[in-house]
Amino acid sequence: MNKNEKIFLSNIAETLRIHSIRMTTAAGSGHPTSCLSAAEIMSVLFFRQMKYDPRRLDSPDNDGFILSKGHAAPILYAAYAEAGAIPVSELDGLRTFGSVLEGHPVPGLNGIRAATGSLGQGLSIAAGMAFAVKQDGGNQRVYTVLGDGEMAEGNVWEAMNFVSHYGLDNMTAVLDMNRLGQSEATMFEWNSKEYADRARAFGWETFDVDGHSIEELAYGFERAAASGKPALVIAKTVKGKNGGEAENADGYHGKAFSKEEAEGLIEKLRSRIEPVDFVPQNHISAKRDKPEPRNVSIETSYTKEEMVPTRTAFGKALAKIGGQDPDMIVLDGDVKGSSRTKYFFQEYPDRGRETYIAEQNMAGMLIGLQAYGKRAAAASFAAFLTRAHDQFRMGAYSRARFLIAGSHTGVSIGQDGPSQMGLEDIAMMRSIFGSLVLSPSDAVSAEKLTALGLNYKGIAYIRTIRGETPVIYDNSEEFTAGGSRVLKSSANDHATFVATGYTVSEALKAAERLEKEKNISVRVIDCYSLKPMDSETLRKAAEETKIIITVEDHYPEGGLGEAVASQVSGYGKVFSLSVTRMPHSGSPEKLIREQGIDAESILRKFHELLGDI
Amino acid sequence: MNKNEKIFLSNIAETLRIHSIRMTTAAGSGHPTSCLSAAEIMSVLFFRQMKYDPRRLDSPDNDGFILSKGHAAPILYAAYAEAGAIPVSELDGLRTFGSVLEGHPVPGLNGIRAATGSLGQGLSIAAGMAFAVKQDGGNQRVYTVLGDGEMAEGNVWEAMNFVSHYGLDNMTAVLDMNRLGQSEATMFEWNSKEYADRARAFGWETFDVDGHSIEELAYGFERAAASGKPALVIAKTVKGKNGGEAENADGYHGKAFSKEEAEGLIEKLRSRIEPVDFVPQNHISAKRDKPEPRNVSIETSYTKEEMVPTRTAFGKALAKIGGQDPDMIVLDGDVKGSSRTKYFFQEYPDRGRETYIAEQNMAGMLIGLQAYGKRAAAASFAAFLTRAHDQFRMGAYSRARFLIAGSHTGVSIGQDGPSQMGLEDIAMMRSIFGSLVLSPSDAVSAEKLTALGLNYKGIAYIRTIRGETPVIYDNSEEFTAGGSRVLKSSANDHATFVATGYTVSEALKAAERLEKEKNISVRVIDCYSLKPMDSETLRKAAEETKIIITVEDHYPEGGLGEAVASQVSGYGKVFSLSVTRMPHSGSPEKLIREQGIDAESILRKFHELLGDI
């Protein structure tokens, strides 16, 4: 490296420090000391190592970058400002209402492809991006900056395994080993061997560098890129570097400097900057826009009354749709025989990827895949998707689009018992910001809702069933986000049964028996879209029939019953049948009977409320 | 080992195989091949290595055992039957309605201290048990049997780190490396070096053994126990061992043998058993019952209107209560300054344990700690508790009791932005079976609800707030599970404001302004117990005031509004104010205004519904 470049990069590092201190002090909050340790790392990455176009940060032609230690957001914003991607004046908005420069990174600023700030997720997002690059035959590299505290997160090691197992040699992770966590020193402080041994055991190459030496960083990044393996550059740094008393000191995490402190520090930092003539050589001219997945469609050919598990229909739909979009990738958490993603894997072995029993990495990768323009989907048992709740939450803040399928929902799975039963998935996925939550009851709706979910510009969830349910829909039926289907109605309905998924056929059975045996009509609604929900149809039913009985194979909290009660409040009275007893093993029939969500129980509830009429 | 013992243990292994095959074939489902690989492991553990009392399986004097690969449940039940802990005839109940021998292990059968079956959690549970033993100065060992597929779960590596970092040398983990996962071969198949390198890098000792050799297993377990480190015994096994065509074959996971197949296999297995005279020497006479935490109490001394963050009151309460119970342990995910568990850590450094940024392991350890009789609590940001959703879910099936605190809830945290905001925690924790969900609005209720949570015989959750809220309760006030507090009411209330946590003081402000400025009375209810919920008081309010406006700093799905709407359905009309726009950074005041959950917004909603009256 020539002298001028070294001075230039050192100047940039100090300038990033100045911005970071000024921004956080102006905001009155933030994590300046977590920025100060990373100044040389960011300088060398953004002004020497990474190939990217500062005028076109969202292009997939750029090398990828994920700031996994999201609390160092100010220094990332500062780097983009110094690269000319955003005006320096915008930096003053940090953390204020309406600014895209939020406390932790979120898309809004081009170049920020995913939200970070919940630690330990960045490497999985980067793995998704690196995998997308490989699929496209590109040679972009994907960079991640990690904090040392977050190395305790299991998600990091799930990603480490995936990346080395599939040979994603286009990844460089940089560990900002600044010794101090939030509340005390990290587990391994400055013992870089602890990190190196772990990463090497997980199949990565590692490089130890002084994280405040421009030359060591530059050389380390070069060797990492040339190593032919995924590489971890372990940069020994000082938290609060050049931050006066905050240097390497406890008690400064997440605290802005006072105005006076900031002024003093900034003056000193300015004095370290010496004029130099140098133009960085790493900026490129990006060509491509990020591709947007186009809408896919599906046609079905089932026979009424045919018995088909919705998980099977989902899997077949994936395989059908796979042919329409060469950019569609499906991940699976070692349950592809059960989730039925196996049909896609069989058809498109190069686009189905086994992520093994590591749901957090699977979910994080979805964010990365779609950030590079892929249509992404993943499946596991609904119960095990709870493992990735945080990643889905962060996916929403990442403005990500992908489809998740949860199979084996409800006590209706039977003998395997509660550990395998998805009984909180509706609550979990409804609580994800902007999500679409779908719950098909038969094969026709399952296939069509799979297509709907794959077209949704946000996080879509489809809830499938292990056992067989009868086909109830014509192949011509259409399904919409926020829709429902009135399966049975008359001008003289005495109540409405609202069901979803498995319980739809039970509700229909109950209504048909009432009709046949007692000549009592009841309305039946298949509430296949749990979020958004068809409040118009539900309110009309509540007004006209006064009484609604909801029935779901899910816990009451956050499920169908509560959602409907909230939608129709003031229009009619809602009684909820759901899973309220400790679930356990047994035959599906006995279990749905015990929980009171079968046809018999619906009838019992109806008579309890309305007598014999 | 003498010849008789070897024959005896080999006989036991084949007998366990026979039971496993017979039980699963009778049930028509289950995972026989996953049992067959573990037969020698289980034989040597249960009839040679582990010190335990088969007549008193729940005593903490026993060595601990966790079957992390919970799908091998039948062989565990078989081992207990052969040890005389349960009648062999009970085995026939496997997976049937009403039997304690569920598809995956759950407590109900003594000796099963935690539910397993969601993979990768067992090591954390065992770590909690091993830590409890160390705290008591005991010398019991804790054993875990892991599957190779679950080694991909990040949770395993979180536990590995914790165990070695804190020197829990009383742990032996056994890896049943049978090569095959559910849907295909595992990442590393029989390459034991991959596992050994990883475990050693994480600070564990490892021992490679032939998992079907009684002698190698026995010697390996002995060396593991004597190694002075946490030890992983890597047992190379064959999935479906002695299971005919199912041996080492794909496509046999989770499938019971047909009756004919089973009979043939059992006959062959029987022929391998030779009569021998031997009495195992590892069974002990346990003395102690599992201790049950006694109720604790608390007194507060706040001044009305004093401004205190509820997280601070929570932390102070922990520290006060810590003195009443020497068996109380508090864990923290490297946020103890923020969650305020630091007060407990300062007071009782030997009973506060930093679990670092690894929420899954933290949650799993709670299950293990309480299984050995400890009163256990843990804290993190509510947002990051989503990381441990699956562990909480499994905690409920473990019939565990512990307290979780989630701080930094709602948009009211302000500048840090959505990644740090707990906005789905009410939905998540309400959906945990049998949970108690508490949401204090002031310091008095926060302290008293902390005590309530610590006394609860299940999973209790307390939701705390980052910012200050005014003290509104007398120090003499009492709070109950399922209670609420009517803060303001009259015979002539025009509506009811139902709030929880942060929004209680906003609701009070709104009501007081209505009273003062317009002489309109409105009822105000602090719904501090979100599960169970005070439906009586809420229904009365709905009937009397017709209109309820709920207000919460949480997403609508699964939150206060839906829960109240469901409780009062048919009694009155519920309008919900909650977080419905994409959350972002900004000042708390601006954010709660934008989301429409401040006093102004409550007033606006009131006038929109009722005009000026």
Side-chain angles (χ1 to χ4, degrees):
Chain A
M1 182 186 305
N2 75 41
K3 198 175 153 230
N4 276 10
E5 180 170 16
K6 192 181 155 193
I7 295 170
F8 172 82
L9 292 172
S10 173
N11 287 348
I12 289 275
E14 302 302 4
T15 306
L16 300 182
R17 286 199 172 96
I18 291 170
H19 286 315
S20 300
I21 292 173
R22 214 194 50 235
M23 293 162 77
T24 47
T25 291
S29 67
H31 304 75
T33 59
S34 304
C35 296
L36 297 183
S37 63
E40 281 78 17
I41 294 170
M42 295 296 281
S43 170
V44 180
L45 281 178
F46 279 75
F47 297 89
R48 184 172 206 272
Q49 181 63 30
M50 292 200 311
K51 307 277 175 280
Y52 69 104
D53 186 340
R55 293 157 308 270
R56 211 163 168 181
L57 287 178
D58 58 342
S59 170
D61 293 342
N62 296 327
D63 279 351
F65 180 78
I66 293 289
L67 183 67
S68 190
K69 52 173 285 189
H71 51 292
I75 201 162
L76 174 61
Y77 305 148
Y80 281 135
E82 286 300 315
I86 51 169
V88 170
S89 62
E90 263 198 39
L91 296 180
D92 297 336
L94 179 77
R95 293 178 158 249
T96 59
F97 192 94
S99 168
V100 294
L101 305 186
E102 297 205 28
H104 294 75
V106 292
L109 186 62
N110 276 342
I112 296 180
R113 292 191 163 89
T116 52
S118 181
L119 292 170
Q121 301 190 13
L123 209 57
S124 292
I125 300 169
M129 290 159 64
F131 181 64
V133 166
K134 288 270 183 192
Q135 288 288 110
D136 291 344
N139 55 13
Q140 304 93 301
R141 240 182 134 69
V142 181
Y143 292 84
T144 320
V145 171
L146 294 141
D148 45 0
E150 67 180 313
M151 297 299 279
E153 285 284 8
N155 191 160
V156 172
W157 303 100
E158 293 183 4
M160 284 266 176
N161 260 342
F162 180 91
V163 167
S164 60
H165 187 65
Y166 287 111
L168 298 184
D169 55 9
N170 56 340
M171 279 187 67
T172 296
V174 187
L175 177 58
D176 179 7
M177 184 179 64
N178 67 19
R179 197 184 70 85
L180 294 170
Q182 200 222 44
S183 71
E184 63 175 64
T186 59
M187 219 181 268
F188 308 126
E189 307 207 15
W190 276 325
N191 191 350
S192 68
K193 190 172 177 305
E194 294 281 357
Y195 298 109
D197 285 351
R198 283 165 173 76
R200 283 175 175 269
F202 274 70
W204 285 53
E205 198 55 80
T206 67
F207 300 93
D208 268 31
V209 300
D210 173 346
H212 299 304
S213 157
I214 296 287
E215 279 164 316
E216 284 199 29
L217 284 165
Y219 184 50
F221 294 156
E222 277 177 15
R223 281 186 301 162
S227 71
K229 285 175 90 173
L232 178 70
V233 176
I234 303 173
K236 182 181 172 185
T237 59
V238 175
K239 193 160 176 175
K241 176 75 174 175
N242 295 354
E245 287 179 9
E247 252 194 27
N248 194 27
D250 257 325
Y252 282 89
H253 181 95
K255 288 197 179 107
F257 293 105
S258 72
K259 221 176 148 214
E260 296 66 42
E261 286 171 324
E263 277 167 10
L265 292 172
I266 288 171
E267 203 182 301
K268 271 193 202 146
L269 288 165
R270 281 224 176 93
S271 74
R272 301 168 68 97
I273 295 174
E274 42 176 318
V276 73
D277 210 23
F278 183 80
V279 177
Q281 301 300 307
N282 62 318
H283 296 167
I284 61 165
S285 225
K287 304 270 175 285
R288 289 182 303 156
D289 284 331
K290 180 189 154 192
E292 273 302 324
R294 268 180 268 173
N295 274 4
V296 292
S297 60
I298 198 156
E299 285 185 9
T300 61
S301 50
Y302 291 99
T303 314
K304 285 263 184 96
E305 304 296 323
E306 193 182 345
M307 297 297 289
V308 186
T310 56
R311 59 177 169 144
T312 303
F314 155 76
K316 299 241 154 124
L318 279 189
K320 281 190 208 173
I321 293 169
Q324 294 173 44
D325 183 358
D327 277 330
M328 177 170 162
I329 309 276
V330 177
L331 309 179
D332 186 276
D334 191 23
V335 293
K336 54 189 176 296
S338 300
S339 68
R340 301 289 152 90
T341 55
K342 69 174 176 187
Y343 298 119
F344 182 92
F345 276 66
Q346 284 159 1
E347 204 78 31
Y348 307 102
D350 55 324
R351 292 193 276 121
R353 190 56 83 225
E354 183 51 70
T355 50
Y356 300 96
I357 309 177
E359 298 79 8
Q360 297 192 74
N361 179 59
M362 181 175 81
M365 282 191 61
L366 291 174
I367 302 174
L369 284 168
Q370 61 89 44
Y372 265 53
K374 298 292 175 193
R375 184 192 304 273
S380 184
F381 282 23
F384 307 147
L385 293 177
T386 51
R387 211 64 161 253
H389 190 166
D390 198 18
Q391 285 73 13
F392 296 145
R393 186 179 76 85
M394 294 299 292
Y397 303 139
S398 297
R399 278 71 170 169
R401 66 171 285 173
F402 53 75
L403 173 67
I404 306 283
S407 70
H408 291 65
T409 55
V411 298
S412 76
I413 71 162
Q415 290 81 355
D416 270 336
S419 64
Q420 319 292 301
M421 295 170 173
L423 287 165
E424 55 291 290
D425 57 314
I426 296 177
M428 174 173 77
M429 294 312 298
R430 283 180 67 239
S431 79
I432 300 300
F433 188 88
S435 64
L436 173 67
V437 179
L438 304 168
S439 169
S441 61
D442 83 338
V444 172
S445 52
E447 286 210 26
K448 298 207 171 179
L449 292 173
T450 300
L452 191 72
L454 286 168
N455 288 333
Y456 184 65
K457 292 192 170 69
I459 297 180
Y461 173 63
I462 185 164
R463 176 177 221 242
T464 69
I465 305 160
R466 178 176 178 274
E468 296 174 336
T469 51
V471 170
I472 58 172
Y473 287 112
D474 283 334
N475 290 304
S476 61
E477 189 80 30
E478 292 302 329
F479 300 85
T480 58
S484 72
R485 178 59 151 75
V486 179
L487 295 172
K488 201 174 162 309
S489 77
S490 75
N492 189 30
D493 292 332
H494 288 79
T496 304
F497 299 159
V498 180
T500 191
Y502 187 87
T503 55
V504 169
S505 55
E506 297 296 319
L508 267 178
K509 248 186 272 175
E512 279 155 13
R513 277 189 46 193
L514 274 177
E515 183 104 66
K516 205 167 153 189
E517 294 172 13
K518 312 230 172 185
N519 203 24
I520 297 172
S521 21
V522 156
R523 191 165 304 179
V524 179
I525 298 177
D526 173 8
C527 195
Y528 61 77
S529 177
L530 292 167
K531 180 185 169 189
M533 195 168 254
D534 187 354
S535 41
E536 199 180 322
T537 301
L538 291 166
R539 285 177 186 167
K540 187 163 177 279
E543 280 187 323
E544 290 177 4
T545 73
K546 303 290 182 293
I547 284 175
I548 288 187
I549 299 174
T550 62
V551 51
E552 64 194 301
D553 195 358
H554 184 274
Y555 288 136
E557 297 88 5
L560 172 73
E562 288 192 355
V564 170
S566 153
Q567 292 298 321
V568 309
S569 185
Y571 293 86
K573 195 159 174 143
V574 178
F575 298 90
S576 158
L577 302 178
S578 61
V579 176
T580 54
R581 306 180 69 170
M582 176 63 95
H584 53 84
S585 292
S587 69
E589 297 68 31
K590 283 192 182 166
L591 295 181
I592 64 163
R593 170 72 49 94
E594 180 191 36
Q595 299 290 351
I597 55 171
D598 65 339
E600 280 294 339
S601 307
I602 300 169
L603 285 173
R604 196 179 321 116
K605 187 75 191 172
F606 177 85
H607 290 302
E608 178 195 317
L609 294 172
L610 287 132
D612 260 347
I613 311 191
Chain B
M1 185 185 306
N2 74 41
K3 199 176 153 228
N4 276 10
E5 181 170 16
K6 191 180 156 196
I7 295 169
F8 172 82
L9 292 172
S10 173
N11 287 349
I12 290 275
E14 303 301 5
T15 306
L16 299 183
R17 286 198 172 95
I18 291 170
H19 286 314
S20 301
I21 291 172
R22 214 195 49 237
M23 292 162 78
T24 47
T25 292
S29 67
H31 303 76
T33 59
S34 305
C35 296
L36 297 182
S37 63
E40 281 78 16
I41 294 170
M42 295 295 281
S43 169
V44 179
L45 280 179
F46 279 76
F47 297 88
R48 183 173 206 271
Q49 181 62 29
M50 293 199 312
K51 307 279 174 280
Y52 69 105
D53 186 340
R55 294 157 308 269
R56 211 165 169 179
L57 287 179
D58 58 344
S59 170
D61 293 341
N62 295 328
D63 280 350
F65 180 79
I66 293 290
L67 183 66
S68 190
K69 51 172 286 188
H71 51 291
I75 200 162
L76 174 61
Y77 305 147
Y80 280 135
E82 286 300 316
I86 50 171
V88 169
S89 62
E90 264 198 39
L91 296 180
D92 296 336
L94 179 76
R95 292 179 158 248
T96 59
F97 192 94
S99 168
V100 294
L101 306 185
E102 298 206 26
H104 293 75
V106 291
L109 186 61
N110 276 342
I112 296 182
R113 292 191 164 89
T116 52
S118 182
L119 292 169
Q121 300 189 15
L123 209 56
S124 292
I125 300 168
M129 290 159 63
F131 181 63
V133 167
K134 289 270 181 191
Q135 288 288 109
D136 291 344
N139 55 14
Q140 305 93 299
R141 245 186 129 69
V142 181
Y143 293 84
T144 320
V145 171
L146 295 139
D148 45 0
E150 66 180 314
M151 297 298 280
E153 285 284 9
N155 191 159
V156 172
W157 303 100
E158 293 183 4
M160 284 267 177
N161 260 342
F162 180 91
V163 167
S164 60
H165 187 65
Y166 287 111
L168 299 184
D169 55 10
N170 56 340
M171 281 187 65
T172 296
V174 187
L175 177 59
D176 179 7
M177 184 179 65
N178 68 19
R179 197 183 72 83
L180 294 170
Q182 199 221 43
S183 71
E184 63 174 66
T186 58
M187 220 181 266
F188 308 126
E189 306 206 17
W190 275 326
N191 190 350
S192 68
K193 191 173 178 304
E194 294 281 359
Y195 298 109
D197 285 351
R198 283 166 173 75
R200 284 176 173 267
F202 274 71
W204 285 53
E205 198 55 80
T206 67
F207 300 92
D208 269 32
V209 301
D210 173 346
H212 299 305
S213 158
I214 296 287
E215 279 164 316
E216 284 199 28
L217 283 166
Y219 184 49
F221 294 156
E222 276 177 16
R223 282 187 301 161
S227 72
K229 285 175 92 173
L232 178 71
V233 176
I234 304 172
K236 182 180 173 186
T237 59
V238 175
K239 194 160 175 173
K241 177 74 175 175
N242 295 353
E245 288 179 8
E247 252 196 28
N248 193 26
D250 257 325
Y252 281 89
H253 181 95
K255 288 194 181 111
F257 292 104
S258 72
K259 220 175 149 216
E260 296 68 39
E261 285 171 324
E263 277 168 9
L265 291 171
I266 288 170
E267 202 182 302
K268 271 195 202 145
L269 287 164
R270 282 223 176 94
S271 74
R272 302 168 68 98
I273 295 174
E274 43 177 317
V276 73
D277 210 22
F278 183 80
V279 177
Q281 301 301 307
N282 62 318
H283 295 166
I284 62 165
S285 224
K287 303 272 174 284
R288 290 182 302 157
D289 283 331
K290 180 188 154 193
E292 272 302 325
R294 267 179 269 172
N295 274 5
V296 291
S297 60
I298 199 157
E299 285 184 11
T300 61
S301 50
Y302 291 99
T303 314
K304 286 263 184 98
E305 304 296 323
E306 193 182 346
M307 298 296 290
V308 186
T310 55
R311 58 178 170 144
T312 303
F314 155 76
K316 298 241 155 124
L318 280 189
K320 280 191 210 173
I321 293 167
Q324 294 172 45
D325 183 358
D327 277 331
M328 175 170 164
I329 310 275
V330 177
L331 309 179
D332 185 276
D334 191 22
V335 293
K336 53 188 175 298
S338 300
S339 68
R340 301 288 152 90
T341 55
K342 69 174 175 188
Y343 299 119
F344 182 92
F345 276 65
Q346 284 158 3
E347 205 76 33
Y348 307 102
D350 55 323
R351 292 194 276 121
R353 190 57 83 225
E354 184 52 70
T355 49
Y356 300 95
I357 310 176
E359 297 79 7
Q360 297 192 77
N361 178 58
M362 181 176 81
M365 281 191 59
L366 291 174
I367 301 174
L369 284 168
Q370 62 87 46
Y372 264 54
K374 299 293 175 191
R375 183 193 304 274
S380 185
F381 283 23
F384 307 146
L385 292 177
T386 51
R387 210 65 161 251
H389 190 165
D390 198 17
Q391 286 74 12
F392 297 144
R393 186 179 77 84
M394 294 299 291
Y397 304 139
S398 297
R399 279 71 170 168
R401 67 171 284 172
F402 52 76
L403 174 68
I404 305 283
S407 69
H408 291 65
T409 54
V411 299
S412 77
I413 71 162
Q415 291 80 357
D416 270 337
S419 64
Q420 319 292 301
M421 295 170 173
L423 287 164
E424 54 292 288
D425 57 314
I426 297 177
M428 175 174 76
M429 295 310 299
R430 284 180 65 240
S431 78
I432 300 300
F433 189 87
S435 64
L436 173 66
V437 179
L438 304 169
S439 169
S441 61
D442 82 338
V444 172
S445 52
E447 286 210 27
K448 298 207 171 178
L449 292 172
T450 301
L452 191 73
L454 287 167
N455 288 333
Y456 185 65
K457 292 192 171 69
I459 297 180
Y461 174 63
I462 185 163
R463 176 178 221 240
T464 68
I465 305 160
R466 178 176 177 274
E468 297 174 334
T469 51
V471 170
I472 57 172
Y473 287 113
D474 283 335
N475 290 304
S476 61
E477 190 81 30
E478 292 301 329
F479 301 84
T480 57
S484 72
R485 179 58 151 74
V486 179
L487 295 172
K488 202 175 161 307
S489 77
S490 75
N492 190 31
D493 292 331
H494 288 81
T496 303
F497 299 159
V498 179
T500 191
Y502 187 87
T503 55
V504 169
S505 54
E506 297 295 318
L508 267 177
K509 248 185 274 176
E512 280 155 14
R513 276 187 48 192
L514 275 176
E515 184 103 66
K516 206 167 151 186
E517 294 170 14
K518 314 229 174 187
N519 203 24
I520 297 172
S521 20
V522 156
R523 191 166 303 179
V524 179
I525 298 177
D526 174 8
C527 194
Y528 62 77
S529 178
L530 292 167
K531 181 186 170 189
M533 195 168 253
D534 187 354
S535 40
E536 201 180 321
T537 300
L538 291 166
R539 285 176 186 168
K540 186 163 177 279
E543 280 186 324
E544 291 177 4
T545 73
K546 304 289 181 292
I547 284 175
I548 287 186
I549 299 175
T550 62
V551 51
E552 66 194 302
D553 196 357
H554 184 273
Y555 288 137
E557 297 86 5
L560 172 73
E562 287 192 354
V564 170
S566 153
Q567 293 299 320
V568 308
S569 186
Y571 292 86
K573 194 159 176 146
V574 177
F575 298 90
S576 158
L577 302 178
S578 61
V579 176
T580 53
R581 306 180 69 170
M582 174 66 93
H584 54 84
S585 291
S587 69
E589 298 68 31
K590 283 192 183 166
L591 295 181
I592 65 163
R593 172 72 49 93
E594 180 190 38
Q595 298 291 351
I597 56 172
D598 64 341
E600 281 294 340
S601 308
I602 299 169
L603 284 174
R604 196 179 320 116
K605 188 74 191 173
F606 177 85
H607 289 303
E608 178 196 316
L609 294 171
L610 286 131
D612 261 346
I613 309 192

